[in-house]
């Protein structure tokens, strides 16, 4: 080999060896104790990791429900909590950008919305917190609340804060048929300050009423608690209500209508306060018998016979009175106790002439406070009991209005699902 060729070969070998060494260094290979510099690189990465850890916040943010949740509760969702830190900012919006008002707790450890969420709505939550060293942590979540199609509510009576008569049951009408009656009933409690035992009765998959064995104790307080949030009422259908309702029982007023004597005796707290002449249903249109509860009051209302099946050959109502004074509903099927200005004054106390209602003497316009109709209206409240007897008709159905008192206690309790 000539000197020139030898030198060129050494140069090529040196270049090849250099390329291998460079490739090894880029791939991170080699022994830390070797001469390739891997030990220095490892030490540098550890320092980077340590520095990054020092910059990371210790604050831990938790958002409920989890990101991506569907069928979220409208009551208990949208909760934000933090450990090892304090919240500095929480923002909640709907998908269209509408801001949901909320408040960070005084200790800055939690946040919740100030308003109830809407059903079938998508929400986004963004939360920021700081640890003791002022380092920030962030968390985001999006979720959708339960839809009306996948949820149920119970429309209840009486209203919160109301004062009602001793016969007023708690009546709950569900907007979806309830298949899991026991689970739903377990989520509903009714208690009274009088200590009376209260039992609930299912009339059908959509209605449950609750009452004591005897009328409520006068001047007591009744509490209804609905803890139905998340309760599965039927397959794939969940409750959304979480509510406490309180109402008061007023004085004990029970009025007894005797269709035979054509008199109504009004008692309060066991004492007769007035006897009023009445006109009940005619022999052809007898009034239901039984214990009935006033469910609605109207100073004036329209009564059209066609709506309750009283029609002439032309299909029009046998009567259509647009200004019936002092009307109080006793059944869903159209039984009322109301003022009557169109009948002769002589019929009250002497003849039963109505289409099934109970009439009291009154004046057109409902503006004379001295009539029997006006007096009874002014001295009655929703929930008062009207007992009707001696009409010759059958007893009103317990679910026709708020008239469950026409079941004995054993029958009533037999309708419970728990």
């Amino acid at each position: 080999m000539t000197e020139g060729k030898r030198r060129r070969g050494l140069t090529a070998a040196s270049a090849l060896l250099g390329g291998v060494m460079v490739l090894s260094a880029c791939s991170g290979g080699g022994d830390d104790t070797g001469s390739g510099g891997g030990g220095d690189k490892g030490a540098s990465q550890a320092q980077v990791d340590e520095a990054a850890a020092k910059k990371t916040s210790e604050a831990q943010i938790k958002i409920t429900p989890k990101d991506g949740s569907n069928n979220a509760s409208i009551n208990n969702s949208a909760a934000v909590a933090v450990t090892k830190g304090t919240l500095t900012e929480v923002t909640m919006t709907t998908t269209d950008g509408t801001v949901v008002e909320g408040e960070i707790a005084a200790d800055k450890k939690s946040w919740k919305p100030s308003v109830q969420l809407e059903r079938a709505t998508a929400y986004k939550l963004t939360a920021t917190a700081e640890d003791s060293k002022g380092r920030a942590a962030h968390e985001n979540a999006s979720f959708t609340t339960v839809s009306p199609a996948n949820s149920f509510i119970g429309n209840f009576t009486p209203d919160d804060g109301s004062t009602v008569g001793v016969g007023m049951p708690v009546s709950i009408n569900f907007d979806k048929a309830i298949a899991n009656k026991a689970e739903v009933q377990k989520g509903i409690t009714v208690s009274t300050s009088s200590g009376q035992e209260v039992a609930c009765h299912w009339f059908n998959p959509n209605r449950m009423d609750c009452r004591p064995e005897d009328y409520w104790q006068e001047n007591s307080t009744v509490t209804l608690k609905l803890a139905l949030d998340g309760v599965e009422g039927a397959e794939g259908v969940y409750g959304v209500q979480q509510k406490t309702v309180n109402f008061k029982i007023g004085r004990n007023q029970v009025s007894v209508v005797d269709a035979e004597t054509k008199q109504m005796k009004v008692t309060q707290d066991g004492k007769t306060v007035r006897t009023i002449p009445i006109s009940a249903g005619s022999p052809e249109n007898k009034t239901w018998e039984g214990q009935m509860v006033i469910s609605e009051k109207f100073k004036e209302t329209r009564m059209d016979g066609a709506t309750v099946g009283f029609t002439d050959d032309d299909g029009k109502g046998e009567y259509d009175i647009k200004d019936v004074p002092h009307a109080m509903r006793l059944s869903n099927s159209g039984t009322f106790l109301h003022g009557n200005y169109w009948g002769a004054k002589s019929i009250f106390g002497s003849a039963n002439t109505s289409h099934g209602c109970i009439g009291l003497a009154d004046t057109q316009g409902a503006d004379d406070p001295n009539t029997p109709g006006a007096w009874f209206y002014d001295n009655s409240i929703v929930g008062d009991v009207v007992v009707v007897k001696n009409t010759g008709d059958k007893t009103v159905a317990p679910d026709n209005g708020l008239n469950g008192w026409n079941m004995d206690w054993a029958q009533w309790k037999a309708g419970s699902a728990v």
Side-chain angles (χ1 to χ4, degrees):
M1 181 181 294
T2 65
E3 184 66 20
K5 289 181 179 181
R6 187 177 66 81
R7 288 178 178 175
R8 288 195 297 271
L10 290 173
T11 301
S14 176
L16 179 60
L17 180 60
V20 171
M21 291 176 66
V22 171
L23 180 62
S24 297
C26 288
S27 66
D31 192 326
D32 286 349
T33 61
S35 61
D40 291 340
K41 187 68 177 178
S44 176
Q45 185 62 51
Q47 291 170 356
V48 170
D49 292 344
E50 182 180 359
K54 289 180 179 179
K55 294 179 181 179
T56 300
S57 177
E58 294 182 349
Q60 301 290 324
I61 301 172
K62 181 181 179 181
I63 295 178
T64 304
K66 293 181 179 179
D67 185 41
S69 297
N70 292 314
N71 292 331
S73 166
I74 63 172
N75 299 294
N76 299 321
S77 293
V80 180
V82 64
T83 56
K84 298 183 180 180
T86 55
L87 291 170
T88 57
E89 183 179 8
V90 178
T91 302
M92 183 175 182
T93 60
T94 61
T95 51
D96 65 3
T98 302
V99 175
V100 177
E101 296 297 326
E103 185 176 358
I104 296 176
D107 62 2
K108 298 184 178 181
K109 295 290 186 181
S110 62
W111 176 95
K112 62 181 181 179
S114 304
V115 296
Q116 188 179 64
L117 306 186
E118 299 292 334
R119 287 192 284 180
T121 302
Y123 292 95
K124 181 178 180 179
L125 260 169
T126 299
T128 302
E130 289 184 351
D131 64 10
S132 60
K133 295 182 180 180
R135 296 172 296 191
H138 307 276
E139 194 70 47
N140 298 279
S142 297
F143 63 91
T144 303
T145 51
V146 64
S147 69
N150 294 102
S151 61
F152 72 89
I153 61 172
N155 298 299
F156 57 85
T157 191
D159 294 333
D160 186 33
S162 60
T163 297
V164 296
V166 296
M168 187 70 184
V170 172
S171 185
I172 305 172
N173 286 273
F174 299 98
D175 66 348
K176 303 280 195 312
I178 302 301
N180 302 327
K181 293 179 182 177
E183 292 305 307
V184 170
Q185 188 174 333
K186 288 175 184 176
I188 299 172
T189 58
V190 181
S191 59
T192 172
S193 62
S194 67
Q196 292 171 277
E197 177 189 358
V198 180
C200 297
H201 181 97
W202 289 87
F203 286 116
N204 55 56
N206 292 83
R207 178 179 171 185
M208 185 183 78
D209 286 13
C210 306
R211 67 167 178 88
E213 181 174 6
D214 300 312
Y215 301 143
W216 302 102
Q217 181 68 41
E218 61 269 18
N219 302 315
S220 60
T221 299
V222 180
T223 299
L224 163 66
K225 291 185 178 180
L226 299 170
L228 297 175
D229 188 72
V231 175
E232 190 172 23
E235 185 175 359
V237 180
Y238 298 89
V240 295
Q241 287 169 297
Q242 190 166 293
K243 188 176 184 64
T244 298
V245 175
N246 294 289
F247 60 93
K248 186 176 180 180
I249 306 300
R251 75 286 177 273
N252 183 326
Q253 179 165 303
V254 177
S255 302
V256 179
V257 173
D258 188 334
E260 187 174 358
T261 64
K262 303 167 187 64
Q263 301 288 325
M264 177 172 69
K265 182 173 67 175
V266 183
T267 67
Q268 288 186 359
D269 300 323
K271 298 179 180 179
T272 301
V273 294
R274 185 160 179 172
T275 299
I276 302 174
I278 61 94
S279 178
S282 68
E284 297 76 26
N285 302 295
K286 298 173 183 175
T287 306
W288 298 112
E289 291 190 357
Q291 302 173 74
M292 306 186 202
V293 173
I294 296 174
S295 59
E296 292 181 289
K297 293 178 63 183
F298 306 96
K299 187 173 182 181
E300 291 183 280
T301 192
R302 177 187 179 185
M303 289 188 176
D304 181 359
T307 63
V308 289
F310 292 108
T311 58
D312 293 323
D313 293 338
D314 58 4
K316 295 183 179 179
E318 293 182 12
Y319 56 88
D320 187 0
I321 307 170
K322 297 179 175 61
D323 56 354
V324 178
H326 302 121
M328 288 156 281
R329 181 183 293 278
L330 299 179
S331 79
N332 290 341
S333 61
T335 307
F336 278 80
L337 194 158
H338 60 78
N340 179 330
Y341 65 81
W342 54 91
K345 298 295 187 241
S346 59
I347 67 170
F348 302 104
S350 62
N352 292 322
T353 61
S354 81
H355 282 79
C357 291
I358 301 162
L360 312 178
D362 211 329
T363 55
Q364 189 171 14
D367 54 3
D368 184 351
N370 299 312
T371 65
W375 181 91
F376 189 74
Y377 182 90
D378 292 340
N379 285 276
S380 296
I381 58 177
V382 168
D384 281 348
V385 179
V386 177
V387 180
V388 183
K389 63 180 185 179
N390 297 327
T391 68
D393 204 355
K394 60 184 179 180
T395 300
V396 65
D399 61 345
N400 187 357
L402 303 176
N403 299 324
W405 301 103
N406 294 290
M407 276 188 182
D408 64 35
W409 190 231
Q411 290 176 309
W412 185 262
K413 295 179 73 173
S416 172
V418 297

